[in-house]
Each structure stands twice: as structure tokens, then as C-alpha cells.
């Protein structure tokens, strides 16, 4: 699988570490229930999904990669910097 | 010349005879032969015994689809079983043996198993030998394993080497037949980057076997010209002996056989190369595989696919029979009759299940007897074919033959189009599955697309080659238009002839018959996936290349469905067998993963150190001295030296991350559970890092060397994980913080200098330039001091509990530093120590390490709950506050010591209250680490015990059934040595 | 006070395999090197200051800029790896030049650097590099941070001959040489180090 790193260009997926769904945002207000949701609850969509990948063997950027969970089609990747920190 | 070698024609070199042996018998073939063609030329028809019934079997095909002619190639550790005779290239000294026969190929005792064949039908594994169960392991399974199966593995490690390679192109062409060559030529001429794969050793595909013409040139001549033209293009790479085996997400896997055809392997040459190919566009031009017909005795040696017979005749000039009949439902079968006539050996008869045959096709047979609307009901013979029984308008007739060419249709080789989950479509016109929905960037050309004529193949290749070149920005100026000789590929529906007396095989390799399919249906296994698993149809090494459509057709008829209603099984990679070694490449044995060496490695080797793997690192485990009986004696000496004098240990492997920026303090406060924003310049502090779920992730010290110069250390094995985590925290969680960080693990060689004489040693090293007095450089101080031409970092931190320092220099000076430390410490009795002594001392001090930082412990479990700040937010705070994680009954860190001195403790032993039964229900925790404490003179342990701290003084059992251990231990404070902590100042 | 002798990452690892003439690997020991990471929002300013210090254009991307005294390699967003010819003051000078806009971390001893050349080099690289090194696509202006045989490397091209340079964490030098030797195979390899 090739991932189009916005900095490095297309790279083999073996250069990346997978994190998971990019949607959950770390709650900032100390709400334990919200934190439990953030830590544990994940959707499992069949279709395009934004995910966090880390380009460990490359530019060391955390990326938001859009991958179709049904067939691994990757439609894009962008730096996480544009992703926002908190809900 | 061999008995069945034609005097003229073919693409073999009659001037280059090649000696080889089959079952120990010396034979001669020619350069250009495969093993199969050489066997055919030598008149050898019997090449193996079948999987289940041990029936005699011959060569069926001339390509990788071969189900029968599997042989063991090579001797000793090099022996490779189940190698297809049709793909082995002949070389001098090739040594092969037939398989699955005992004591010999011609006389096989177990062929008698055929008499018991009613027992061996579909599902027999599931239904037979069910009881008594005790007999299964001792009797049934060994007996079945002996009787069934294919070749034997060598049982020895693979002595060959393999490598991997990666390549990129605009157009990848799989298959160098007419369609593939047309695509490669068309795109290659534009300058587009092309890679052309061919599994055979020669380009051309069917052009090498058939009497077709392109632009008035015979096939082989056109191929030669095409190959010569391709060779002039720098942008075209041709890989022969290279089989594509899988279509994966965005890449294609292929294996190139580099030395399998060589008598002598050049030094350093790997056996095979595993390619990962990334192409903008891929054209699958893998051709089609002829389909056999299921009828009685259809497995007799001498019965061969019609196109394969043509290949043996016209490519290899080898005669696969002297009196051959053709049984066909396709126009192509008639071309085999023509080929025999051209070779001067007219066929005995052509039997076609169809009645309407084009006159041009009918003419191919000349004046030999023709039976239209007829079928072969039975093939008769033993170890070779002697006659066929034909049924038709004439009634039944027996025809004496020694060979039968069979053509039931063509299956496009579309497996790669289904590897990513796409389904093929049944074509009523072609009577075959053809590609339908397709993965992006994959196109199919020629016979692989169900477009069987030469003209269609060339046109497809040219069209798809041009499209790929255009997509690469290299548009075709003048599209090639090759003229192909006329041919037809009409086919009639014939999969199965019922009513024969002999066994009618659907899957030759797994010995699955039409009766097995019928039985499967009777027993309710009517889904194609169930049929496959119940009968094993299509599950052999040939993956049903020649059998699956026939099986499906029989299943369809028995269940009253059409073939498309019945479905098809989906192919998964690999498309052909690939040696496991090829996937490993050079990453085997000690090179399974990279090894990292510290700057002092060479020095430690000189000292005779024993090394241990720690993550990817090799670390000195202990330094044995002459006269020491075992590791314990060496380690005990090293611990004693540190506790009484001074020792040196390489700690470079700990992860080191440099941090700077205005917000480092705030950042560290958020990633550690304790506070770092108050850390002054010149100080180091121990930190505990949690995961967001509240469990401990890692620990280490962070030192502030300058106003904007921090270095954070991690454990050796977690260094990469922590770096990734910190990058996550910075980039994903808090991009607003102005922090810069980078790993400097490799920049610094770092050594622990520990023991009451450590300061004396360092003072000797640094000289008067450094003031190491406790006033100037107290516990937890850090600083930078000149050392020769460089600057050394010094940290006063201790893992051993003794006065200790860690000294770091740029790694290039690491080797020199360890030598300088040994010189500086010579008069102080300096002793190098390894990870084992390090571990003993940390256990004596109750310091947690990997065994306790196991991802299942929270700070409180480790006695570190006080470190968790209440004044700030940090990763893991909220989740660590959960009630269940603060339950006092959670296993918590304690020390353990035996109640009887001299008893050895072992890590992994489980804790039980005295008198409690040894059951999982009464489990109260386990021993995480143990060591022999030289200072105490007995074994000690650390463990995680339910309500541990409340139970100091209690006696419990340490139960270790796997190693037969069951000892009473006393629960004690986990800090065995110097609980007051005075020695770090000593 | 002790004086210490400096050793390169490939020290003692030099040797010849096979005919030795397919690929030549020469260690570049003693280079000064530093990681430069721009402060938050200062990537452009850092690039500009790097450029003005060395007299060439520096961009925030996987690109190489080179002069007689320095090589600047883009290795990540707002991050560069800078090599200087042997000069004990190189990193300190860089730090001073970038004060306030970037962190400068000395890595002079962290990386082992080889220059690779030889007629068989392209086929050797193909056995480890999973990126497209076609001469039209990967030029002396390009840099790739990638992996070879599970070892993280920084790869760049010095000239179109081609001569490549590969930098990797020095602890991996022996493992990397194993990949080099094995992959060079019958082509032959000579490794030259101190």
C-alpha cells in the first residue's frame, strides 16, 4: 500500500505507523466521561475514513490519511497541523 | 537423439545435449528443453503417483498449471518438493525424483488403496476414523500422512539465499505472449518506462508453440524481432523467469528465479529475487489455460491438454505420442491434429462433441477419421494409455491410442484480477469466466480477457500499451497495426462425460472425482465454497487452475443452476507457489532484524563480554573472567565491585530526546505525571509517563543542561514508541506549544559510573577542570565539562542506589572514553558490568523496569502514586483516577524473600495465600523479577501482589508449576538495600 | 585529563567483497552535522536564514542545497539536516545564526555517512530503496528520508553519475554493511572507511 505523504511524496505503508480514527478529539475540560469516550469508543465505518498515521521512517509527521476501509483506496493525506487539537 | 525427438523443427538446440537424471536414471535432453519436454522426448510418460489413490500419472500440461507432473528437485537440504516438471528448465546435472510412490514409481504398493477407494471419497477425513479417539494420533493420522500427500520436505534449513527488490514503472506488463509483447512494444517506443514480466525463460507465449504468423513472419521470428527491438530501449526492462504472484494494494508481487536453471550458482548470487513492483498502469496479459474434460479414466498417462501437445511438438520437437486421438469441444483442438500431421504422425481420430464445425476448422484434420457429436467415454490402460472408448452416432467404438489430446475450452488466467476482491463474469460466448469489475489501474489484454485470437491479442496490447504511454505523458504518434494470420476459437459446452466405467477426475492433483462432487451435493454442500472445502477440489498446489470450472459446471448441473448462478471461488495470492525464503529475503537468522551496536561494542568484545539482545541493541550482559564457573559468579562479582568500589556500564542504548523551545516546561508537564516546569538549569529529575488510558508507559530522567536545552531519556526498548508518542502529543494534541524535539540517542555514548569510588574515578578523568565536589555537583546535578578535544555531559543519577554518575560524550569518542575510564579507574579497581548486574542492583533497590512497566500497571501499582501531580492536567490523569485502578486489591509492588535461605526464586511464579488451593481463582499476583543479592546472600524478588503494601511480613506461596517450584516467601519492602537512600550520597 | 580519539561509524568495517568493483562505498567521517528545527511559525524565516548563511536558496521541503562548506537537506516540515565540512565551530556558528528562529541540535556523531558510486549502484539501491530513483524523478536537488532493510536512512544524490550519499544512525552501520554486501552480491563491493 502506498501513502501519499504531503512532505515526502508517495511512500510504502511500511514506513508508517497506524494510530486509528482521526475523529476523536482529546477533551480539554477534565470531563472523565468525555475522556473515556475519547480513549475507548471508536466508530467502525465501511467506507472512506480519516485516520491518523505517523510517518515514522520518513519526515516524522503525523498525518490525516483518508482511506476507504472496504478496499484500502487512499484518496489523500494532509498534515495533522490543520486538524485541530480539541473538540 | 532421444526416442521421441523429432529430427527437425522446434526451438531446441540439437548441438547442445544436456545430461540429467530422473529417479536416478541418466537421460539426455537438449538446451531449450524443460524437464517435461525432455521426459516427453525420452518417451517417459509415467512421472508420478496421485495424491490419494496413488494412480499412475503423466504430464498434463506444458506450463505452470501442471497438476500431475510434480517432482522433487535436488538433494539433501536443497531438495524442493512439488516442483512442476513443466516449469523446470533443463540444465546439466539436473537431478529429480518422482513423488508419492513407494517403493518405486512403476510398482507402488499403495496403489492398492484404490481398492479401498469407496472409503476415500469426499469428506472422508471428517467421517472416517472418528473413534476410538486414542487411535487417531497413534494410528490413523500417521498412516494417512504416509499414504497421502505430495513430496517430502528436506527437513533441513533452506540453504539458499534470497533477496528483495523494488521497481517503478509507467506500465507493467504481465506475460510476454503476443498481447504482452504488443503492449510493451507500443509503450516502449514512446519512451514510457515499461517492465515486462515473463514466467518462462523465453518470451513469446503461444507464439513459440503455434503455427501462426504476424506480418507474414512465423511466430518465433516475430518474437525474436520484438525482443531485439525491446532490448534497444533503455526505458524497457524485461524480466524472464519472473512470475507475478499477487496483486496487492498499489503494488504487484513477483518472484524472479535467478539460479534455479543453473548447474553452478555464481558466488554471492541469491536463488530468487522477490520483486515489489509499483506501476502507474498494469496490463495483465497472462493468456489462458486450456480446460480438460472430465470422463472415465481421464487421468491415464498419455492424456494431455491439446495445446500442450502442440507445444511439445512444435516448440520442443518432442513427440508426446505415436498414435494420438484428439477429443475436443473447441476449434483449437483441431490445430493439434494439424500439428501432428505436420510432424508426420497423423492422429488416429478427432472426436468433437460439437456437430457444427466451420469448414476451415474441419479442414485442419485432413483425412483422418472424424467423429462429430461424439465423446470419449472411457480411457483404458494402466501405466499408460492403450485405448479410448468413443460414444456417438456410430454407437461405441474402441480406438487404440497411446495418447489423447483434450480440449474442453480455455480459462482466461484472471486470478490476479480477483486478488483485491473483484469478481469475474461468466461469458456464455467464451464458456469461461472473464474479467468484469477491475481494480484501478489494471487492464487485461488478449486471451486473459477472453479475447483468444491472435489478432485480438495484438490489438488489445497495442491499445492498452498506447493508453498507458498516454497516461505517462508519452502519447503514441503512430499506433502499430500488426497483421495476424486468421484463426477461430469457437467452443462448445462440454465439461463432463457421464457414464464411463473408470474414475472420472475433476481435480487431478487432489484426486477429486465427479462422484465426490455428486456426494458433496447429496450431503448438502451445494455452495461452491462448501464444495471446495468438503471435497478439497481446487485446494492443491495448482489452486484449481485446470479443475475449478469443471467442478463448478458439474455442481451447477447437479443443482439445476447455471454456472453464473453457482458462482466461482475467489483467488487469493500467491498465484503460484513462492518459497517462504523469498519473502524473508536477507532478513533471516541473526539478520531477521537490524542489530544496533554501541560505541563500546568493540571494546566489550575484546573484554570477552557476553551479549544480550535488548530491542535491536546488543548489550554486554556480563563480563566473565577466567576461573568463573557460571554467569552468577561473574554477575555477583560485578555487583560487589559496584557496591564496594566502582563499576562502569554502557547505558548508551537508553533513548535520548533533545528538547528546546519556549514551551518545553509546559509540554513536559503534560506528558509526565509529575511536574517538570519547575526543573532548574543544571538539574535532572525522574519522570513517569502515562498512556492516555492511565497506565504507565515509560520512565526516565529529564535533565536541563541549559536555559533552552533539555534532554529526556527513555528506556531502551521504548525509545521509538516514546518518540512517536511525544510527536503525537506535540503535533496532534498541542500544536500550539512551541517545542522542538529530536532524537539524539545516536549522538551520545553514555556510561554509568557507579559506586562509592565513582567520584574519584571521574575526578581522575577530568582533572582539575571539573569540580565534582558534592557542593558543586550534588545528587541530581547535571552539567557539561571539557574532556580532551570534546565536551562531556555529566549527570549525577543512580539506578544502582550507589553514588553514581552518567557521563556522555559524542559517540565518536565513545570507544576512547570507555578505555579512558578503565585507565582512570585502574587504581580504584574499576570493573565493567553488564545488564545482568544492572538488573540485580535495580531489584535490590526496588526500582521498576520492563517487567513491571508491562502496560498493565498504573503508577499506584508500582508504589509511584505519589508522583501523580494533582495540580495540573497531563496525559492519563483522568483515566488513572478511575475507581478500579485505585482498588487496593490490585496487585501492587512488593519485595519477596524466601523463608528458607538458599532457596531460589523464579520470575513468573504466582502468589497464593498459604492454604489456598492452587487455582486461578485464588491467584493473587506474580513474581516479576528475581535476583541473587550478593549483599544479602540470598535470592530476592519483586512482585505484584494483591493488597501488597498491607501484607508486609506475611508469608505466602510462590507457586511455579511449570518449573516445579512451590516455595514459601515473605512479603517485604521492595527496597532491599539502603531503604533510607543514604548511599547515593556515599 | 584524558584526550580522546575520534572514530567514525564505519570504523573497522571497511572491506572488499567479490571482485569489489561493482559498487564503491566511501565513508565520510568527521563531518559536522546538526538538526535544525524551526520554532513555531518560523519555518520560512529559518529557511531564509539558512540560505543567507550559506549563500543558496533553502526551501521547506525534501530538497537539497549545497555549497563548498555546507549541505542542507530537508528532512521534515520545518526541519533540516545540515552537514558541514570538518569545522569544530560549525554547529555553534549555525546555532548563533539561527538564534531565536530555530533549535539547532548537534548530530555530528550520530550519523554514519557513506558515498556510494559504481556501475552497479542502481541495481544495488533497487534492493533496498522503496522509492522511485529514476534519474528524471530523483535528482541531485532531492532528498529522501526513508528506510533500507528496516534501517531509517537519509538518502540524497550528489551528482548524476550517479553518486549517492546515505546517512543513517551510526549504531546501524554494521547491519547496513551486511545489507550492502549481501545485495551487491556478484557485482562486488568495496567499503572504505577509516
Amino acid at each position: 500500500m502506498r501513502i501519499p505523504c504531503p512532505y515526502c511524496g508517495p511512500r510504502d505503508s511500511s514506513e508508517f505507523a497506524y494510530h486509528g480514527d482521526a475523529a476523536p478529539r482529546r477533551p480539554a475540560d477534565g470531563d472523565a466521561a468525555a475522556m473515556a469516550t475519547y480513549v475507548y469508543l471508536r466508530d467502525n465505518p465501511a467506507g472512506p475514513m480519516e485516520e491518523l498515521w505517523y510517518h515514522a521512517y520518513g519526515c516524522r509527521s503525523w498525518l490525516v490519511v483518508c482511506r476507504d476501509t472496504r478496499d484500502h483506496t487512499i484518496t489523500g493525506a494532509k498534515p495533522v497541523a490543520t486538524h485541530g487539537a480539541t473538540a | 537423439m532421444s526416442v521421441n525427438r523429432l529430427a527437425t523443427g522446434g526451438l531446441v538446440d540439437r548441438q547442445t545435449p544436456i545430461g540429467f537424471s530422473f529417479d536416478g536414471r541418466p537421460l539426455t535432453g537438449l538446451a531449450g528443453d524443460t524437464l517435461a519436454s525432455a521426459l516427453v522426448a525420452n518417451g517417459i510418460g509415467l512421472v508420478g503417483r496421485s495424491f490419494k489413490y496413488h494412480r499412475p500419472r503423466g504430464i498434463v500440461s506444458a506450463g505452470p498449471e501442471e497438476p500431475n507432473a510434480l517432482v522433487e528437485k535436488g538433494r539433501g537440504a536443497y531438495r524442493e518438493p512439488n516442483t512442476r516438471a513443466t516449469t523446470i528448465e533443463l540444465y546439466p546435472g539436473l537431478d529429480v525424483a518422482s513423488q508419492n510412490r513407494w517403493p518405486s514409481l512403476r510398482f507402488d504398493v499403495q496403489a492398492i488403496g484404490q481398492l479401498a477407494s469407496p472409503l476415500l471419497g469426499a469428506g472422508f477425513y471428517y467421517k472416517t476414523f472418528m473413534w476410538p479417539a486414542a487411535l487417531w494420533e497413534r494410528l490413523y493420522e500417521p498412516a494417512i500422512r504416509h499414504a497421502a500427500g505430495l513430496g517430502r520436505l528436506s527437513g533441513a534449513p533452506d540453504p539458499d539465499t534470497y533477496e528483495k527488490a523494488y521497481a517503478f514503472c509507467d506500465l507493467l506488463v504481465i506475460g510476454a505472449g503476443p498481447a504482452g509483447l504488443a503492449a510493451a512494444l507500443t509503450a516502449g517506443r514512446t519512451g514510457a518506462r515499461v517492465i515486462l514480466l515473463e514466467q518462462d525463460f523465453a518470451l513469446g507465449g503461444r507464439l513459440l508453440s503455434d503455427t501462426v504468423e504476424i506480418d507474414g513472419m512465423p511466430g518465433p521470428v516475430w518474437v525474436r524481432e520484438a525482443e531485439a527491438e525491446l532490448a534497444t530501449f533503455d526505458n524497457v526492462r524485461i524480466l524472464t523467469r519472473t512470475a507475478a504472484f499477487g496483486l496487492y494494494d498499489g503494488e504487484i508481487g513477483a518472484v524472479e528465479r535467478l539460479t534455479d536453471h543453473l548447474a553452478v550458482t555464481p558466488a554471492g548470487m541469491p536463488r530468487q529475487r522477490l520483486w515489489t513492483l509499483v506501476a502507474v498502469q498494469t496490463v495483465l496479459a497472462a493468456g489462458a489455460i486450456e480446460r480438460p474434460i472430465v470422463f472415465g479414466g481421464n487421468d491415464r498417462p498419455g492424456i494431455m491438454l491439446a495445446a500442450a501437445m502442440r507445444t511439445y511438438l512444435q516448440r520442443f520437437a518432442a513427440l508426446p505420442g505415436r498414435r494420438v486421438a484428439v477429443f475436443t469441444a473447441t476449434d483449437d483442438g483441431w490445430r493439434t491434429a494439424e500439428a501432428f500431421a505436420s510432424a508426420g504422425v497423423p492422429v488416429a481420430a478427432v472426436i468433437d462433441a460439437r456437430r457444427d464445425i466451420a469448414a476451415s476448422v474441419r479442414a485442419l484434420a485432413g483425412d483422418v477419421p472424424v467423429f462429430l457429436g461424439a465423446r470419449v467415454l472411457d480411457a483404458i490402460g494402466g501405466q499408460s494409455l492403450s485405448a479410448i472408448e468413443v460414444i456417438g452416432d456410430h454407437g461405441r467404438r474402441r480406438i487404440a491410442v497411446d495418447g489423447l489430446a483434450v480440449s474442453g475450452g480455455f480459462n482466461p488466467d484472471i486470478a490476479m484480477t480477483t486478488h483485491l476482491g473483484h469478481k469475474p463474469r461468466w461469458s456464455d460466448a467464451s464458456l469461461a469466466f472473464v474479467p468484469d469489475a477491475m481494480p484501478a489501474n489494471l487492464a487485461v489484454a488478449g486471451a486473459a480477457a477472453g479475447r483468444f485470437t491472435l489478432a485480438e491479442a495484438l490489438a488489445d496490447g497495442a491499445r492498452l500499451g498506447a493508453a498507458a504511454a498516454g497516461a505517462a505523458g508519452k502519447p503514441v504518434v503512430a499506433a502499430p497495426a500488426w497483421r495476424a494470420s486468421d484463426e477461430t476459437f469457437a467452443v462448445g459446452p462440454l465439461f463432463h462425460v457421464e457414464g464411463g466405467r473408470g474414475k472420472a477426475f475433476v481435480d487431478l492433483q487432489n484426486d477429486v472425482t465427479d462422484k465426490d462432487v455428486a456426494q458433496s451435493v447429496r450431503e448438502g454442500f451445494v455452495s461452491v465454497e462448501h464444495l471446495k472445502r468438503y471435497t478439497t477440489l481446487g485446494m492443491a498446489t495448482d489452486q484449481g487452475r485446470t479443475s475449478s470450472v469443471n467442478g463448478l459446471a458439474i455442481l451447477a448441473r447437479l443443482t439445476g443452476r447455471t454456472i453464473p448462478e453457482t458462482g466461482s471461488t475467489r483467488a487469493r495470492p500467491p498465484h503460484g507457489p513462492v518459497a517462504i525464503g523469498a519473502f524473508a529475503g536477507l532478513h533471516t537468522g541473526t539478520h531477521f532484524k537490524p542489530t544496533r551496536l554501541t560505541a563500546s561494542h568493540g571494546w566489550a568484545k575484546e573484554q570477552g563480554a557476553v551479549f544480550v539482545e535488548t530491542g535491536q541493541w546488543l548489550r554486554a550482559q556480563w563480563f566473565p573472567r577466567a576461573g568463573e564457573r557460571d554467569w552468577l559468579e561473574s554477575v555477583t562479582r560485578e555487583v560487589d565491585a559496584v557496591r564496594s568500589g566502582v563499576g562502569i556500564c554502557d547505558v548508551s542504548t537508553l533513548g535520548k530526546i533533545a528538547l528546546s523551545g519556549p514551551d518545553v516546561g509546559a509540554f513536559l508537564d503534560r506528558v509526565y505525571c509529575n511536574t517538570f516546569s519547575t526543573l532548574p538549569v543544571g538539574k535532572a529529575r525522574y519522570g513517569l509517563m502515562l498512556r492516555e488510558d492511565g497506565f504507565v508507559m515509560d520512565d526516565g530522567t529529564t535533565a536541563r543542561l541549559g536555559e533552552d536545552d533539555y534532554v529526556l531519556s527513555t528506556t531502551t526498548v521504548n525509545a521509538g514508541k516514546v518518540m512517536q508518542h511525544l510527536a503525537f502529543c506535540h503535533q496532534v494534541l498541542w500544536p500550539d506549544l512551541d517545542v522542538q524535539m529530536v532524537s539524539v540517542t545516536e549522538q551520545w555514548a553514555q556510561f554509568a559510573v557507579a559506586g562509592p569510588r565513582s567520584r574519584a574515578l571521574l575526578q581522575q578523568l577530568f582533572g582539575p577542570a571539573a569540580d565534582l565536589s558534592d557542593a558543586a555537583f550534588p545528587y541530581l546535578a547535571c552539567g557539561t565539562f571539557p574532556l580532551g578535544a570534546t565536551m562531556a555531559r555529566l549527570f549525577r543519577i543512580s539506578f544502582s542506589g550507589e553514588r553514581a554518575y552518567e557521563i556522555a560524550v559524542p559517540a565518536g569518542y565513545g570507544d576512547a572514553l570507555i578505555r579512558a575510564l578503565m585507565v582512570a579507574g585502574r587504581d580504584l579497581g574499576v570493573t565493567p558490568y553488564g545488564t545482568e548486574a544492572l538488573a540485580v542492583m535495580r531489584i535490590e533497590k526496588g526500582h521498576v523496569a520492563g517487567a513491571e512497566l508491562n502496560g498493565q500497571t498504573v503508577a499506584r501499582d508500582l508504589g509511584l502514586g505519589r508522583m501523580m501531580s494533582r495540580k495540573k492536567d497531563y496525559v492519563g490523569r483522568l483515566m488513572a483516577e478511575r475507581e478500579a485502578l485505585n482498588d487496593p486489591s490490585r496487585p501492587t509492588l512488593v519485595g519477596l524473600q524466601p523463608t528458607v535461605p538458599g532457596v531460589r526464586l523464579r520470575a513468573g511464579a504466582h502468589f497464593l495465600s498459604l492454604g489456598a488451593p492452587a487455582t486461578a481463582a485464588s491467584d493473587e499476583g506474580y513474581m516479576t523479577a528475581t535476583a541473587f543479592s550478593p549483599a544479602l546472600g540470598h535470592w530476592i524478588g519483586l512482585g505484584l501482589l494483591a493488597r501488597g503494601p498491607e501484607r508486609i511480613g506475611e508469608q505466602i506461596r510462590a507457586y511455579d508449576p511449570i518449573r516445579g517450584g512451590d516455595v514459601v516467601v515473605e512479603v517485604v519492602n521492595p527496597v532491599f538495600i539502603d531503604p533510607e537512600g543514604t548511599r547515593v550520597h556515599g | 585529563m584524558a584526550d580522546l580519539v575520534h572514530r567514525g561509524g564505519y570504523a573497522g568495517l571497511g572491506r572488499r567483497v567479490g571482485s569489489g568493483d561493482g559498487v564503491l562505498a566511501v565513508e565520510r567521517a568527521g563531518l559536522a552535522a546538526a538538526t535544525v528545527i524551526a520554532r513555531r511559525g518560523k519555518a520560512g524565516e529559518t529557511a531564509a536564514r539558512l540560505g543567507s548563511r550559506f549563500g543558496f536558496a533553502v526551501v521547506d521541503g525534501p530538497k537539497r542545497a549545497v555549497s563548498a562548506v555546507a549541505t542542507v537537506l530537508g528532512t521534515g516540515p520545518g526541519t533540516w539536516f545540515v552537514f558541514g565540512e570538518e569545522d569544530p565551530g560549525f554547529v555553534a556558528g549555525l546555532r548563533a545564526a539561527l538564534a531565536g528562529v530555530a533549535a539547532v541540535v548537534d548530530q555530528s556523531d550520530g550519523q554514519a555517512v557513506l558515498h556510494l558510486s559504481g556501475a552497479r549502484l542502481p541495481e544495488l539501491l533497487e534492493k533496498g530503496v522503496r522509492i522511485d530513483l529514476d534519474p528524471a524523478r530523483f535528482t541531485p536537488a532531492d532528498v529522501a528520508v526513508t528506510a533500507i532493510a528496516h534501517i531509517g536512512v537519509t538518502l540524497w544524490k550528489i551528482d548524476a553519475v550517479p553518486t549517492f550519499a546515505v546517512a543513517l544512525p551510526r549504531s546501524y552501520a554494521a547491519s547496513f554493511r551486511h545489507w550492502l554486501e549481501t545485495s551487491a552480491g556478484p557485482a562486488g563491493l568495496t567499503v572504505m572507511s577509516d
Side-chain angles (χ1 to χ4, degrees), chain B residues 412-439:
Chain B
D413 193 351
I414 55 168
M416 299 265 288
T417 69
T418 69
H419 280 176
L420 292 178
H422 300 81
K423 283 185 176 164
R425 158 181 78 79
W426 178 257
S427 161
D428 282 322
S430 301
L431 291 174
F433 285 103
V434 296
D436 191 17
M438 202 82 71

Side-chain angles (χ1 to χ4, degrees), chain C residues 14-86:
Chain C
R15 67 184 215 188
R16 185 182 162 100
V17 180
S19 69
D21 57 8
V23 176
L24 178 65
V26 182
E27 179 175 19
R28 294 286 284 118
L31 295 172
T35 303
V36 173
I37 311 172
R39 301 271 192 234
R40 182 171 141 78
K42 300 278 175 66
E45 202 174 329
T46 303
R49 282 215 217 164
L50 274 172
S52 64
R53 176 161 180 80
F54 298 118
F56 46 58
V58 173
V59 297
D60 187 7
K63 294 293 171 186
R64 164 179 176 260
V66 65
S67 74
V69 295
T71 298
V72 175
L73 309 172
T75 56
T79 306
W80 295 266
F81 207 81
V82 182
F83 282 104
E85 292 306 317
E86 287 186 57

Side-chain angles (χ1 to χ4, degrees), chain A residues 2 7 11-12 15 57-59 61, chain C residues 61-62 74 76-77 130 145-146 150:
Chain A
R2 309 281 292 179
Y7 185 88
R11 293 300 180 89
D12 191 81
E15 292 189 359
Y57 276 109
C59 62
S61 297
Chain C
R130 304 184 75 157
V145 182
T146 182
H150 307 301

Side-chain angles (χ1 to χ4, degrees), chain A residues 1-2 12 17-19 26-33 35-36 38-40 52 54 56-57 60-63 71-73 80-81 83-86, chain B residues 168 248-251 276 278 420 616 670 692-693 695 720 723-729 731-736 743 873-879 882:
Chain A
M1 192 159 77
R2 309 281 292 179
D12 191 81
Y18 178 71
H19 183 83
R26 187 177 193 271
D29 60 0
D31 177 339
M35 185 59 86
Y38 166 74
V39 170
Y40 292 110
L52 290 171
Y54 177 57
Y57 276 109
R60 299 186 174 273
S61 297
W62 277 93
L63 306 174
D71 60 10
H72 302 314
T73 301
V80 77
H83 182 63
T86 51
Chain B
F168 300 79
Y248 301 91
D249 299 306
E251 60 198 25
T276 301
V278 178
L420 292 178
Q616 293 181 334
R670 295 188 197 182
E692 194 69 275
D693 65 4
F695 289 82
M723 187 70 210
Q724 180 179 331
H725 173 71
L726 295 182
F728 178 87
C729 291
Q731 295 177 33
V732 182
L733 300 184
W734 302 301
D736 51 316
S743 169
D873 188 26
Y874 54 87
V875 172
R877 178 180 69 92
L878 281 174
M879 290 295 96
R882 283 177 288 174

Side-chain angles (χ1 to χ4, degrees), chain B residues 140 373 743 762 799:
Chain B
Y140 301 147
S743 169
L762 289 169
F799 199 47

Side-chain angles (χ1 to χ4, degrees), chain B residues 842 848-854 857 926 928-929 944:
Chain B
R842 78 99 182 166
V848 292
E852 294 83 26
L853 304 176
N854 59 8
T857 47
Y926 70 102
T928 55
L944 296 165

Side-chain angles (χ1 to χ4, degrees), chain B residues 597-909:
Chain B
L597 303 178
T598 69
S600 76
H601 185 82
W603 170 85
K605 247 172 109 170
E606 290 167 23
Q607 308 307 306
V610 172
F611 293 95
V612 61
E613 287 180 27
T614 312
Q616 293 181 334
W617 291 96
L618 274 190
R619 298 186 72 180
Q621 195 171 11
W622 66 86
F623 294 82
R625 279 193 186 161
E628 288 175 343
R629 284 160 305 180
D630 59 9
W631 67 271
L632 186 55
E633 196 174 334
S634 304
V635 170
T636 299
R637 169 182 50 76
E638 291 171 13
V639 172
D640 279 336
V642 174
R643 298 242 181 264
S644 64
V646 57
I648 304 174
C649 181
D650 190 333
V651 293
S652 308
T653 62
L654 271 70
K656 298 178 274 291
I657 297 168
L659 293 134
S660 71
D663 297 327
V664 172
F667 181 72
L668 292 176
D669 276 354
R670 295 188 197 182
V671 297
Y672 278 119
C673 73
N674 50 324
T675 302
F676 275 87
S677 50
T678 54
L679 184 68
V681 174
K683 281 289 188 186
R685 184 173 292 171
Y686 176 75
L688 196 64
M689 199 176 282
L690 310 187
R691 305 188 312 220
E692 194 69 275
D693 65 4
F695 289 82
V696 176
M697 179 182 202
D698 200 55
D699 69 345
T701 55
T702 293
R704 190 174 186 183
L705 289 155
E707 190 58 41
D708 185 30
D709 186 5
Y710 294 77
V711 60
L712 175 158
S713 75
T714 75
T715 59
T716 298
V717 285
N718 282 339
K721 192 164 90 179
V722 171
M723 187 70 210
Q724 180 179 331
H725 173 71
L726 295 182
F728 178 87
C729 291
H730 181 219
Q731 295 177 33
V732 182
L733 300 184
W734 302 301
D736 51 316
L737 292 182
D738 193 357
V739 176
Q740 291 76 45
M741 58 185 142
V742 63
S743 169
V744 289
T745 305
E746 296 279 346
Q747 167 67 13
W748 298 96
Q750 194 154 327
F751 302 93
V753 181
R757 294 178 177 169
S758 53
R759 181 171 60 184
L761 188 155
L762 289 169
Q763 201 67 68
Q764 177 72 24
L765 180 80
F766 282 108
D771 179 359
L772 300 182
S773 68
D774 283 351
F777 203 74
Y779 182 54
L780 292 177
C782 66
T784 303
F785 301 95
L787 185 62
T790 190
M791 296 291 285
R793 291 175 168 183
L794 199 62
F795 308 88
R796 188 158 165 205
I797 51 182
S798 175
F799 199 47
S800 57
E802 302 298 325
R803 167 186 289 276
Y805 302 80
E806 288 188 10
I807 176 171
V809 291
Y813 297 103
D815 176 79
L817 178 59
I818 187 81
R819 294 173 197 276
L821 287 168
M822 291 302 290
V823 170
R826 189 182 297 144
D827 296 339
L828 300 166
V830 63
T831 301
Y833 65 99
T835 56
E836 210 60 41
L838 199 71
V840 170
M841 290 187 279
R842 78 99 182 166
I843 293 169
E844 287 178 330
K845 286 298 294 177
H847 289 155
V848 292
E852 294 83 26
L853 304 176
N854 59 8
Q856 300 176 351
T857 47
V858 294
R860 193 191 157 278
D861 300 338
L862 305 176
L864 301 172
R866 293 179 320 278
M867 289 183 69
M868 295 167 65
S869 168
R870 299 181 169 280
K871 297 178 187 159
K872 58 171 186 131
D873 188 26
Y874 54 87
V875 172
R877 178 180 69 92
L878 281 174
M879 290 295 96
E881 284 174 1
R882 283 177 288 174
E883 192 179 341
L885 296 183
N886 292 280
D887 182 343
S889 67
R890 277 183 65 82
T892 306
L893 189 74
V894 290
L896 292 310
Q897 61 186 29
T899 52
V900 178
V903 169
R904 179 169 183 177
L905 303 185
R906 289 193 187 269

Side-chain angles (χ1 to χ4, degrees), chain B residues 15 52 111 217 286 304 474 516 580 637 657 663 722 745 816 944:
Chain B
Q15 306 308 311
K52 210 153 72 175
M217 283 180 267
M304 202 182 271
K474 313 253 184 198
D516 292 326
I580 296 286
R637 169 182 50 76
I657 297 168
D663 297 327
V722 171
T745 305
L944 296 165

